[in-house]
Amino acid sequence: SEAPLPPMPASPRHEGGKRKGYNKTKKKKKKKEEEQEGGGNASAGGKDIRRLRRQFAKHLERSAGTAKALRAVPKQLRRDAAFVAQAVARNVKCFRLAAPELRTSPAFLEELVKQDPNALPLLDLDCASFDRELVLRIVRREPQLISLFRATRFSADREVLLEATKLDPASLLHASHELRGSKDFVAACCEHQPAALQHAGENLKGDLDFIREAVKRSPAAFAYVDETWRACREIAWEAVSRNHGMLKLVSADLKGDAELVRAAVLQASRALADASTALRNDGAFLLTLLRERPEILKLLPSDAPILQCKEFALDAVTVDAASYFDLPSHRDDFDVALRAMNSRPDVFYYLPEALRARREVALAVCARDGTFLEEVPQSFRDDKDVVLAAVASYGLALWDASRRLRDDKEVVLAACRSCGQALEAASDSLKRDRDVAREAVANDGSSIVHAHMTLQLDRELALEAVAQNGKAWSLLIPLLKLDRTIALRAMKTDGEALADATKRMRADEALVTAALESNALGAWPYVAKELQEDRRIACLACRQDGHIYEHICPEFQADPDVALAALETCPSLFYSLPEALQRDRAVLRWAIRNLGYYSADFEDDVDLALEAVEHCPANYKKLPYHIRKNGFFIQAVLCKATADAAAKDCEDLVDRPLRKRIFKRAAELAGIPVDEARELGLWEAHARVFMYPSLEAKAFEGEGFRAELTYAACPLCTEAANAGASDSRSILACLRDHQ
């Protein structure tokens, strides 16, 4: 409904769709770029150079790769360093057509070399005048150019030659005679480039110490030593013990060295291929390797003479049963197979059918692992000797025996002796046998459930079952579960059996106590509520397992006695106790003795603070200074240092100003210099000042000083000793009472 707004008037700065001053800004920007290109020179000469650069730039591109690129260029451009450098970068030979003053300019020449070190051979330069940093940059990019500096001072520069040799070992040829004969330098070169050893000085190639050091730093350098050194065991050991590949380079005699070959094979098994033929057929040597490298036999050819030897095969499977699979010529040998199964029964799966059908094999494998009874031929499952061997190692193998043997009392007794649950596989007639049932129950109490009903009613058998396994109580018939004697025996065996008790039994204090003593955490949830609210029962449960503290009623959680009972088995519970309990004096004393606990609240309780220092001298530094200077606290720290030789550093806990005051006062009382007082030690000096200042100086002489000080010289300490106080805390308490 409103009328449209009138169009805005055109801005006077815009005409024809372009902003005024646009061309002027563009020209200024172009001028600025030209000035930057010309190095900031805005003179008429600079403009001409820039114009010529642009004019001959395409010419330079068209003539790239030819040495005549500068021939058609004006002389003005031949004197321009930037243009000539651009041309030389395309073709080094263009340098010859540059202006004479440019060809002799050291700064320009160095820039060319920095830009392209390959230009150096074509430039007529004095390499001896080069800067060391420039030479280092050159050899790091093109190490072969070190040859240009052979007659200069750089041929004796260790760093320059080392940088060049790191990239090209032949660079060592251009080093000075002194460097090529330097042991340390050539050894350092060999560490980076082992091939540098062949360019070392002749005096070094025959030096045993140098060759050993070079090979030790780089074992690959062994490939470049003379033949005489390859027969040297000392040098060969340095190389082979670090690089197994060097074994192929040692002399023929050393390839038969057992220790040398073993060092190589332990690094890589394939190194055995480089050993001598005699050593590869040495049974004793191969058995030694077999213990550390089980795959060693796979590397020998199948027709190797040693693999055809039965004695070696028997020894090999004794060391490692898996070697049976690497002895194809003995796969059908009964003795070898039997020896292998003795240590590894699963070899039975890979035996030929002829061997698996032999009774001796079945007997051996079942004796080793009864689970193989189901793998042997059906005829052996009715063999009493085979089945007896199987059930002796695995009772449940009775399930795989024939029906006749499952009714054999001797076989079933052997099975139940190994596993009580094998009673379930016995025949019905043997399930009625009391001897068989007792044997099964003695191994596993829960197996009573597989006995005949007449035996399940036997009270004596039930007692034996719950004595062996408390959880068997839940499997008894209801009539025997109500027997209090049987229930009590079950609770003593496993307190968790309380879960299957009746409500009346859960309220029986004797049963609950027995259950808590055997398994408090498992029995507590099933304790009757009225007993859970009994303080004695709660204390008993917490004493058995401190984690129960979190499940007792809040009233008992605030009881210090209950908390202390829980802390006996769960010390970490202290930090989760209620704040009121953490301030309880008895609980704090326990935390101090067992956890080394300290709190700032101890500053208001001298006795707790003193006890904290006695049990953990490090707490002394946490006390404020006005307490640390108290003689009783200093004495507590020093008593710990005196009693424990490992706590001598406890004396350092005493503040340095306090130690000075103690030594000074002790010296005044004894009339001796301060240095002599320091020789007495801090314990003796403090004793003079604090414990008995009137003690005579002669009492401090001899080994019996502490005894004399503690019990004889001080009447108060003597009184404490007569009262039976033999520890430092009791003596300090006596002194504190009579101070």
Side-chain angles (χ1 to χ4, degrees), residues 102-134:
L102 207 58
R103 292 201 304 269
T104 57
S105 172
F108 176 68
L109 295 176
E110 286 191 11
E111 288 299 324
L112 283 183
V113 173
K114 290 179 183 178
Q115 178 180 314
D116 184 10
N118 288 319
L120 185 60
L122 301 175
L123 304 179
D124 188 14
L125 301 177
D126 182 12
C127 296
S129 63
F130 276 25
D131 182 68
R132 186 171 181 272
E133 294 299 324
L134 177 61

Side-chain angles (χ1 to χ4, degrees), residues 7-14:
M8 292 184 64
S11 173
R13 297 182 60 190
H14 293 77

Side-chain angles (χ1 to χ4, degrees), residues 16-50:
K18 288 187 178 181
R19 181 168 54 86
K20 282 186 176 182
Y22 175 78
N23 292 333
K24 187 183 292 186
T25 305
K26 188 175 181 181
K27 289 179 180 179
K28 287 182 179 180
K29 186 176 181 181
K30 186 176 181 181
K31 183 178 180 180
K32 187 176 181 180
E33 291 176 354
E34 290 176 351
E35 290 178 358
Q36 291 177 353
E37 183 181 356
N41 184 10
S43 62
K47 291 180 180 179
D48 293 341
I49 288 294
R50 290 195 297 272

Side-chain angles (χ1 to χ4, degrees), residues 289-442:
L289 292 180
L290 192 62
R291 292 184 177 90
E292 299 169 295
R293 288 286 183 176
E295 71 280 3
I296 203 70
L297 296 184
K298 294 184 177 68
L299 304 174
L300 297 176
S302 57
D303 58 346
I306 190 65
L307 296 183
Q308 316 304 320
C309 178
K310 183 175 180 179
E311 289 74 13
F312 172 76
L314 288 171
D315 293 337
V317 297
T318 303
V319 172
D320 183 16
S323 301
Y324 174 79
F325 306 110
D326 302 325
L327 299 166
S329 58
H330 299 283
R331 294 288 293 273
D332 297 332
D333 192 299
F334 169 74
D335 296 329
V336 175
L338 203 61
R339 185 78 64 88
M341 283 191 304
N342 285 337
S343 56
R344 186 169 171 177
D346 61 331
V347 171
F348 179 80
Y349 293 119
Y350 307 98
L351 295 180
E353 288 297 330
L355 286 180
R356 296 178 67 177
R358 296 189 61 167
R359 183 176 182 273
E360 295 85 351
V361 172
L363 190 61
V365 72
C366 289
R368 185 68 176 81
D369 188 348
T371 59
F372 280 86
L373 184 61
E374 63 179 346
E375 304 293 339
V376 300
Q378 191 70 31
S379 59
F380 296 136
R381 301 183 190 183
D382 194 44
D383 189 309
K384 186 174 181 178
D385 293 335
V386 174
V387 173
L388 274 173
V391 298
S393 61
Y394 181 63
L396 294 180
L398 186 62
W399 285 106
D400 300 312
S402 65
R403 186 180 296 273
R404 179 181 71 85
L405 292 179
R406 287 163 65 182
D407 193 35
D408 188 298
K409 185 174 181 178
E410 184 182 356
V411 173
V412 174
L413 278 173
C416 292
R417 195 176 295 116
S418 175
C419 176
Q421 294 296 329
L423 180 62
E424 185 180 4
S427 64
D428 293 339
S429 61
L430 289 179
K431 287 181 181 179
R432 299 171 181 268
D433 191 297
R434 182 178 179 81
D435 295 334
V436 173
R438 290 191 66 179
E439 195 69 49
V441 166

Side-chain angles (χ1 to χ4, degrees), residues 504-732:
R504 182 179 177 182
M505 287 181 174
R506 293 181 182 183
D508 189 314
E509 188 172 337
L511 291 178
V512 169
T513 301
L516 292 175
E517 288 177 350
S518 62
N519 187 353
L521 192 60
W524 180 256
Y526 309 108
V527 177
K529 188 175 181 181
E530 57 269 22
L531 287 182
Q532 288 187 353
E533 296 174 353
D534 187 314
R535 184 173 178 276
R536 190 187 68 82
I537 296 296
C539 279
L540 173 64
C542 289
R543 189 172 290 108
Q544 297 298 322
D545 193 330
H547 295 92
I548 295 178
Y549 177 83
E550 301 174 358
H551 305 290
I552 61 178
C553 60
E555 179 185 354
F556 293 152
Q557 287 184 351
D559 190 320
D561 294 336
V562 177
L564 286 171
L567 288 172
E568 290 180 9
T569 54
C570 186
S572 61
L573 183 66
F574 171 79
Y575 300 101
S576 59
L577 290 177
E579 188 175 352
L581 273 183
Q582 288 189 353
R583 293 181 179 177
D584 183 81
R585 194 176 186 82
V587 176
L588 282 174
R589 285 184 179 278
W590 180 93
I592 289 170
R593 294 190 188 99
N594 296 275
L595 302 176
Y597 180 71
Y598 175 82
S599 173
D601 297 337
F602 292 172
E603 298 174 10
D604 300 327
D605 192 324
V606 177
D607 291 335
L608 284 178
L610 185 59
E611 191 167 352
V613 172
E614 288 176 351
H615 285 87
C616 183
N619 289 331
Y620 174 80
K621 297 296 289 184
K622 302 176 184 177
L623 295 170
Y625 183 74
H626 72 277
I627 296 180
R628 291 204 304 273
K629 68 180 182 180
N630 183 284
F632 290 104
F633 287 87
I634 297 176
Q635 188 65 21
V637 174
L638 297 180
C639 284
K640 183 71 173 177
T642 306
D644 188 359
K648 287 293 182 184
D649 55 347
C650 292
E651 293 185 0
D652 298 334
L653 297 174
V654 181
D655 298 86
R656 190 172 181 180
L658 290 177
R659 286 184 293 190
K660 286 184 177 181
R661 288 172 57 186
I662 291 170
F663 287 128
K664 184 177 179 181
R665 182 59 179 160
E668 291 175 357
L669 291 174
I672 58 177
V674 177
D675 293 339
E676 292 186 19
R678 286 196 179 94
E679 292 178 1
L680 294 174
L682 191 58
W683 199 95
E684 287 82 350
H686 185 262
R688 291 192 181 197
V689 176
F690 176 68
M691 292 186 69
Y692 200 70
S694 60
L695 194 65
E696 297 180 1
K698 64 180 181 180
F700 293 92
E701 301 174 357
E703 297 181 356
F705 159 68
R706 289 186 177 82
E708 184 178 358
L709 169 69
T710 307
Y711 299 115
C714 178
L716 297 177
C717 296
T718 306
E719 179 184 344
N722 294 334
S726 58
D727 60 316
S728 60
R729 174 162 176 75
S730 302
I731 296 172
L732 288 174

Side-chain angles (χ1 to χ4, degrees), residues 124-198:
D124 188 14
L125 301 177
D126 182 12
C127 296
S129 63
F130 276 25
D131 182 68
R132 186 171 181 272
E133 294 299 324
L134 177 61
V135 176
L136 281 172
R137 187 181 301 179
I138 291 173
V139 298
R140 282 171 183 158
R141 289 186 58 183
E142 300 293 339
Q144 68 275 9
L145 296 181
I146 191 66
S147 60
L148 301 176
F149 303 93
R150 185 169 188 173
T152 66
R153 57 190 172 90
F154 298 112
S155 63
D157 192 306
R158 297 176 67 93
E159 186 178 359
V160 172
L161 265 298
L162 185 60
E163 291 294 331
T165 309
K166 284 181 181 179
L167 301 174
D168 183 9
S171 300
L172 189 60
L173 289 171
H174 306 293
S176 64
H177 182 72
E178 290 77 10
L179 279 186
R180 292 182 65 189
S182 173
K183 293 183 181 181
D184 296 337
F185 175 73
V186 179
C189 292
C190 293
E191 188 174 355
H192 299 284
Q193 282 286 357
L197 184 62
Q198 59 187 333

Side-chain angles (χ1 to χ4, degrees), residues 54-86:
R54 289 194 299 270
Q55 180 180 351
F56 285 92
K58 293 184 179 180
H59 166 73
L60 201 62
E61 292 178 4
R62 288 195 299 269
S63 59
T66 65
K68 302 177 181 179
L70 291 181
R71 184 162 292 177
V73 173
K75 293 182 179 180
Q76 192 176 3
L77 275 182
R78 295 186 189 182
R79 291 193 295 269
D80 183 60
F83 188 81
V84 173
Q86 187 179 0

